[in-house]
Amino acid sequence: MNIVKAKLMNFHNRLKSTFWKSLAIVIVLLIAGPELLISMELMALVELIGASTFVIAYLSGIKLFLVSCQRKFINFERYSVMFIPSWRQIKSMPGLALHMPPERTLIQLLFTTIYLGLSLAIIK
């Protein structure tokens, strides 16, 4: 009789701990909600297509951002005498490298450096 009672108590304790664990899982799912499911889907996606493809997707976004920055820069420098020679032209005439720097950007960089230098000198 004692053995049966001990087994029943052991079974009751297991049910009780399983109930609390299940309740904890349900609470986490309700609080975390869609974020938890999205993270599980992203992990499955990484497992399915591989980490390299996942990284390439992010790098393509960065490349698109840099291309838009380059277009804005070229649009900003369209009134200067900015000449971008090819590598073959630079190899044949190295002096062309002196004509490559964008004028407006260099002048802004010079003025910014002077402004920051004077500001730091005044602060000290």
Side-chain angles (χ1 to χ4, degrees):
M1 184 80 172
N2 264 346
I3 296 174
V4 173
K5 189 174 182 181
K7 286 191 177 189
L8 281 175
M9 288 300 290
N10 188 15
F11 181 70
H12 177 69
N13 288 336
R14 282 188 188 171
L15 280 179
K16 202 162 55 168
S17 68
T18 305
F19 170 75
W20 288 113
K21 288 178 184 176
S22 302
L23 184 65
I25 289 173
V26 169
I27 290 172
V28 166
L29 286 176
L30 288 176
I31 291 174
E35 291 86 8
L36 187 64
L37 296 176
I38 288 172
S39 67
M40 289 169 47
E41 287 176 4
L42 283 176
M43 289 302 294
L45 185 67
V46 168
E47 291 294 326
L48 184 65
I49 63 175
S52 60
T53 309
F54 200 68
V55 169
I56 287 172
Y58 282 106
L59 290 179
S60 64
I62 291 171
K63 184 179 177 185
L64 284 173
F65 173 72
L66 292 176
V67 166
S68 70
C69 289
Q70 179 188 17
R71 285 185 186 148
K72 288 178 184 176
F73 177 73
I74 289 174
N75 188 27
F76 175 73
E77 287 288 342
R78 70 176 174 223
Y79 296 115
S80 70
V81 190
M82 187 170 121
F83 170 66
I84 303 176
S86 66
W87 178 248
R88 194 185 64 188
Q89 290 171 335
I90 291 177
K91 276 179 72 175
S92 63
M93 295 179 282
L96 281 177
L98 295 175
H99 299 284
M100 276 183 6
E103 301 160 3
R104 296 173 79 188
T105 305
L106 286 178
I107 290 173
Q108 281 186 345
L109 182 65
L110 173 70
F111 287 151
T112 304
T113 305
I114 292 171
Y115 176 76
L116 289 175
L118 289 175
S119 298
L120 290 175
I122 291 172
I123 290 173
K124 284 186 180 181

